[in-house]
Amino acid sequence: MASPELSQFRRIVVKVGSALLVDSDKGEVRSSWLAALADDMAKLHKEGRDVLVVSSGSIALGRSRLKLPRGPLKLEESQAAAAVGQIALARIWSEVLGAHGIGAGQILVTLQDTEERRRYLNARSTIGKLLEWRAIPVINENDTVATNEIRYGDNDRLAARVATMASADLLVLLSDIDGLYDAPPKNNPNAKLIPVVESISSEIEAVAGDAESELSRGGMRTKVEAAKIATTGGTHMLIASGKIEHPLQAIADGGRCTWFLTPANPITSRKRWIAGTLEPKGTLTIDAGAVTALRAGASLLPAGVIKVEGQFARGDAVIVRGPDTSEIGRGLIAYDADEAERIRGRSSPDVMAILGISGRAEMIHRDDLVVGG
């Protein structure tokens, strides 16, 4: 199968690891390389694409700023180093993107932010608003509070979670190697690059190596696990070398890399999850006008809701029924049950007066709504 092209994708997540961003010997950012990467991102941004960054480096930068000795750190030491490094990391990204007139927004996440629906929706909404404002979200695991028990463990999988959360159609993992090979290239001069992976089979997993094997120490195992997360969520993924300057331009020019393909797209995968996986916690009954609007692709507004049933929290799945009680669809509710009851039937401008907060205009946003035939 022919490889896709970078120009095909609308929303792109770029993962940058510590080893690429920070010179380990000097403890400083590789400024020239980062400026070249920012040039690539700015070009994509100028073309109207959404660009997001998942960036490591806070602990490495914190160690440098604090002049900590080499060697392993205790958990609390890593967290404290990250607290210092996150400030430096945010400033660095703000400066390199600001040089192109692009704003950068820092988002720190933990595992719970992508596993708990309420927090997932909050993070997703923040990312969506930054992209709407044409800023570039710079996302990192919140190492100041993450513990060994709850942390992702690597930013490859974090990047995959972020990509599916943001409904990205492409995840780019910049690595110290230019893709997945059929054998370890350092040990086998005849190893061949695998340019396209149509599905992650047991053979592909074997090539990546077992979790504790020598082969997996370069992180290929976690990259294949990230590819599983991404492709299941409807996001294509690629692994490419980040050791060269202008790595995204190299991909656009047809440079060496490995593509992991998904049979779906982010929206259909997300809506399949809403429709068939989540247990509904309540029911909204809507009027005939709202039924017509939903079938035309609109969001569900409070004004169209005539009855609220069930005990649900923001982010829970609910059933949407028409005035004749027939099921119209299912979606993720933007309000708790008591709030939904208070604002049902009211116009969007009334929401702030009723709840005392601005709230969201939609009871269920169309991206969080699956309407049946």
Side-chain angles (χ1 to χ4, degrees), residues 14 37-45 51 53 93 97 136 248:
V14 181
L37 176 61
D39 287 345
D40 291 351
M41 292 179 177
K43 182 177 179 182
L44 294 172
H45 188 271
V51 181
V53 179
W93 279 108
L97 294 173
I136 291 184
L248 298 181

Side-chain angles (χ1 to χ4, degrees), residues 40-360:
D40 291 351
M41 292 179 177
K43 182 177 179 182
L44 294 172
H45 188 271
K46 188 176 181 180
E47 292 170 352
R49 306 181 200 285
D50 293 335
V51 181
L52 302 86
V53 179
V54 174
S55 175
S56 303
S58 60
I59 295 176
L61 287 172
R63 290 186 72 136
S64 173
R65 299 296 192 272
L66 294 166
K67 296 180 171 54
L68 300 179
R70 290 180 177 271
L73 297 175
K74 296 177 182 178
L75 176 61
E76 63 272 19
E77 292 172 336
S78 293
Q79 291 173 324
V84 174
Q86 280 170 354
I87 294 174
L89 188 65
R91 178 182 59 79
I92 288 162
W93 279 108
S94 178
E95 288 177 353
V96 297
L97 294 173
H100 296 275
I102 301 171
Q106 183 188 49
I107 301 177
L108 301 176
V109 298
T110 61
L111 179 62
Q112 288 94 327
D113 294 318
T114 58
E115 298 299 324
E116 295 178 13
R117 285 195 295 277
R118 175 185 290 263
R119 293 165 71 170
Y120 170 97
L121 285 178
N122 281 333
R124 177 180 166 86
S125 295
T126 300
I127 290 171
K129 184 55 67 175
L130 285 170
L131 294 174
E132 180 185 324
W133 288 342
R134 300 301 293 151
I136 291 184
V138 179
I139 302 156
N140 193 6
E141 185 169 13
N142 192 351
D143 291 312
T144 60
V145 299
T147 68
N148 289 335
E149 290 74 24
I150 66 172
R151 61 182 295 136
Y152 286 94
D154 66 85
N155 272 10
D156 293 327
R157 282 175 286 202
L158 170 60
R161 295 287 189 191
V162 167
T164 57
M165 178 194 296
S167 296
D169 44 12
L170 177 63
L171 166 62
V172 177
L173 298 186
L174 296 179
S175 177
D176 58 357
I177 191 170
D178 54 8
L180 177 65
Y181 284 75
D182 60 5
K186 289 184 178 179
N187 304 330
N188 187 341
N190 297 317
K192 295 180 180 179
L193 180 77
I194 302 173
V196 178
V197 176
E198 295 186 41
S199 62
I200 301 174
S201 62
S202 57
E203 289 80 5
I204 292 297
E205 291 182 304
V207 166
D210 295 328
E212 301 302 324
S213 73
E214 181 73 22
L215 181 61
S216 71
R217 289 185 183 175
M220 192 55 69
R221 180 65 179 182
T222 62
K223 287 175 173 54
V224 171
E225 290 174 357
K228 283 184 183 178
I229 295 169
T231 56
T232 299
T235 301
H236 293 285
M237 192 190 94
L238 70 83
I239 301 170
S241 175
K243 298 177 76 172
I244 59 174
E245 291 202 348
H246 297 286
L248 298 181
Q249 185 59 52
I251 295 167
D253 292 339
R256 290 167 64 84
C257 63
T258 296
W259 289 87
F260 292 82
L261 306 184
T262 177
N265 67 61
I267 299 300
T268 57
S269 293
R270 174 176 168 76
K271 293 200 171 186
R272 190 181 304 117
W273 169 67
I274 293 171
T277 305
L278 300 179
E279 178 186 354
K281 301 294 185 181
T283 301
L284 303 182
T285 302
I286 63 176
D287 60 29
V291 172
T292 301
L294 262 55
R295 294 200 185 281
S299 298
L300 177 60
L301 302 179
V305 179
I306 57 179
K307 187 177 182 182
V308 175
E309 299 174 279
Q311 292 299 316
F312 51 81
R314 178 174 181 264
D316 282 340
V318 296
I319 297 172
V320 179
R321 297 189 182 278
D324 60 356
T325 72
S326 62
E327 182 171 331
I328 304 301
R330 300 185 179 203
L332 303 184
I333 188 77
Y335 290 94
D336 293 343
D338 60 335
E339 295 173 333
E341 174 61 33
R342 291 167 63 191
I343 64 174
R344 68 174 176 84
R346 306 298 291 269
S347 64
S348 297
D350 292 339
V351 171
M352 183 172 182
I354 295 170
L355 299 181
I357 56 174
S358 58
R360 287 171 170 78

